[in-house]
Structures are given as structure tokens and as C-alpha cells.
Amino acid sequence: MFQGSMVAIITPFDAQGNFDEETYRQLVEFQIENGTDVIVPCGTTGESATLDYAEHDQVIKACIEQVNKRVPILAGTGSNATAEAIAISQHAKEMGADGVLLVAPYYNKPSQEGLYQNFKALAENVAIPQVLYNVPGRTGVNMTAETTIRLAEISNIVAIKEASGDVIQASEIIARAGDKINVISGDDFLTLPLMACGAKGVISVTANIMPKEVKSMVQAVQEMRWDDARKLHLQLLDVHQSMFLESNPVPVKTASALMGKCRIDMRLPLVEMQENTLEQLKTILKKHSLI
């Protein structure tokens, strides 16, 4: 269910800083029209860390309503407190999400056993397909391949979004547990290498602004058109890199605003791009005829 070209969709805000639901629904339509396989609301790129509980539900609900079962929805519901993650995940399930994306608990830096027990408790308490999310650059802790392989034995843990940047770690998961858990790239620039090793797709930042192109590259790999895939990978590389000129989602939201798709507003502590990085971003967007 959760494979192919998947977008970690941004969350637009209006001039008052509130969730802009009308614009959000338009962004969802843009993704579906351009072939995106799965919509992922309330991830890191969706500024989930600055949404309160009511807004979190509102964003997921709007996504579910707008998609209207046309593609699966993988709702970000992780937390640094297991009980809180269980509650948010249960609510997402009740609203109609097809699965939940669960980031490793951040800030409190649990041990590998703590990570295992956290995800085990979530799986046992919320009967919905679950995708683990390993992003040590955000959480402060790397979930090892060994821990993921242990968790792969739990039936409703179906995939892991690997954003460790470690191709060897992702490959080890595929080699030892690829029949039990899907690996999904969490880094756009590693999608081709990881899919060549057996990963099933990407949860993409770049797809917010170039959904058709990201889908084309993923599809080329799926169809084993390696020359096409490599060409598309190299064409998109500078865009992927530009999405991290500053902390995600600042560049991608700025790019979306420059393309006229939403306002540029983000919530503190995120601020607008600095002038030097903004000019770099504009140069790349112009090169690809996006602005």
C-alpha cells in the first residue's frame, strides 16, 4: 500500500498564521493530478512540530476528505511520548487514515530497547498499518538495523522510512528482513540508490514542487528502465539538494510560495530564508522553469 512516489506534503498557513485549509486542498489535488501514489500529512515537512492537537486533526481530516480514497493516506502521528503517539494514532485511524507514520521519539534519546518497546506498544494498541521513521538528524538517535529487523516481526509494522543517510544500514534491513518490512527512502537524493538495493519508493520533499518528475523517476526504477531512472535522478539532484539549503521545510515551502501555490509563512522558530540561500534556491528553480 505504501510504496512508489509519496509526498511529505507541506502545511500552508494564512495571513493570520492559521491552517489554510482551502490552499491545502488545492495542494492535495496538485499531487493527485500529477500521479503521486501516497499523501503523507503532518510529517516533518508539514511542520507537525508546531501544530497543536486540534490543528493536527484538522490537517489530517482535510487530507482524508479531499483525497476521498483516491490514494492511500499515511498520517504522521509520532511523538516523543509513547502514550501521546498512541492517542494521536488512534484518532487518525478513527478519522480514516490508511496508515500512520511514526517518527522515533525525539529529544529524550531512548536506548535501542526503548525504541523497540515504543514501537511495539504502538503496534499493539493501534490496529492500523504502521510505518516507522528513522531520522537521527532530527531525533538525536539512530534506530539500528537490528532494532528494525526485530520490529519487522510485528505484523502491522509494514515499512520503515529510512532517513539515516546510511545506505549500508538500509541495505542490511532489506537483506535480512525485506520479506517482512518495506524500506522507503526518506532522502530524495538517495531514492535511486536505495531502490536499486530493493527499497520500495520515497517519501519525498521535492515532490511538493515536482511531483510528476519524482513519480517518473520512481516509475522508471519500478519498470527497470535504469538509463531513464539514472538520467532523471541526475536531473533532479540539484533540486533535491536545494530543498536542504536551510532546514526543511523552509526551502520547499519558499519554493511553493514562489511558484504561487501558497503563502511563504512558517511558524517560529522557523523563519524565512536568508538572502544568500534564497538566491541560490531561485537560481535552481529558474533553471528547471519552475518560476
Side-chain angles (χ1 to χ4, degrees):
M1 179 182 288
F2 305 118
Q3 57 185 311
S5 181
M6 299 168 269
V7 64
I9 195 167
I10 59 174
T11 302
F13 301 122
D14 62 22
Q16 289 72 46
N18 300 313
F19 171 51
D20 184 348
E21 184 171 329
E22 182 178 350
T23 297
Y24 185 75
R25 289 174 179 268
Q26 292 171 4
L27 293 173
V28 170
E29 281 302 311
F30 175 62
Q31 292 299 320
I32 293 176
E33 288 167 3
N34 283 278
T36 296
D37 296 303
V38 178
I39 311 290
V40 185
C42 294
T44 304
T45 311
E47 293 178 75
S48 57
T50 63
L51 300 175
D52 64 31
Y53 294 125
E55 289 173 323
H56 198 277
D57 285 350
Q58 186 182 3
V59 172
I60 293 173
K61 183 173 182 288
C63 188
I64 291 168
E65 288 178 352
Q66 190 64 32
V67 168
N68 193 25
K69 301 186 183 302
R70 288 177 288 175
V71 297
I73 293 171
L74 180 64
T77 58
S79 171
N80 61 338
T82 304
E84 185 176 284
I86 289 171
I88 298 170
S89 299
Q90 185 61 40
H91 203 189
K93 177 192 173 185
E94 291 167 0
M95 287 190 289
D98 298 288
V100 291
L101 177 68
L102 301 167
V103 68
Y106 42 87
Y107 188 76
N108 36 24
K109 297 182 74 172
S111 66
Q112 295 301 309
E113 184 61 26
L115 290 170
Y116 176 81
Q117 294 297 336
N118 168 77
F119 289 120
K120 180 173 180 284
L122 275 153
E124 289 174 346
N125 282 277
V126 188
I128 191 172
Q130 301 185 3
V131 178
L132 314 178
Y133 180 14
N134 183 39
V135 56
R138 292 275 186 173
T139 64
V141 61
N142 176 54
M143 187 160 67
T144 65
E146 192 64 42
T147 300
T148 301
I149 291 162
R150 286 180 70 195
L151 288 163
E153 298 298 325
I154 301 173
S155 61
N156 58 327
I157 294 178
V158 298
I160 179 168
K161 178 185 177 183
E162 256 295 337
S164 63
D166 188 337
V167 176
I168 295 174
Q169 178 166 295
S171 298
E172 185 177 354
I173 296 166
I174 295 167
R176 295 176 56 193
D179 58 334
K180 297 175 181 175
I181 190 168
N182 287 341
V183 171
I184 299 165
S185 177
D187 297 302
D188 277 291
F189 44 82
L190 287 181
T191 303
L192 176 58
L194 287 182
M195 289 191 74
C197 294
K200 300 301 183 182
V202 60
I203 295 179
S204 171
V205 176
T206 301
N208 279 282
I209 58 172
M210 301 182 77
K212 185 176 181 179
E213 291 81 358
V214 174
K215 172 62 180 281
S216 293
M217 197 209 73
V218 169
Q219 192 168 24
V221 177
Q222 291 171 329
E223 296 172 359
M224 299 184 71
R225 292 183 285 109
W226 295 107
D227 287 344
D228 292 339
R230 184 165 50 250
K231 181 180 178 181
L232 287 163
H233 165 74
L234 295 174
Q235 286 176 350
L236 289 170
L237 189 58
D238 60 349
V239 183
H240 296 331
Q241 291 171 313
S242 76
M243 295 297 97
F244 293 89
L245 286 168
E246 293 187 18
S247 294
N248 179 44
V250 176
V252 70
K253 202 167 198 184
T254 302
S256 298
L258 290 169
M259 292 167 64
K261 295 194 173 297
C262 66
R263 291 179 59 88
I264 205 166
D265 304 271
M266 287 152 284
R267 287 182 173 173
L268 285 171
L270 298 181
V271 296
E272 292 187 18
M273 292 185 78
Q274 302 302 296
E275 192 61 35
N276 63 324
T277 47
L278 177 59
E279 289 307 312
Q280 292 177 59
L281 176 64
K282 286 180 177 178
T283 297
I284 292 168
L285 295 178
K286 287 174 183 176
K287 174 187 171 185
H288 290 268
S289 302
L290 294 170
I291 60 173

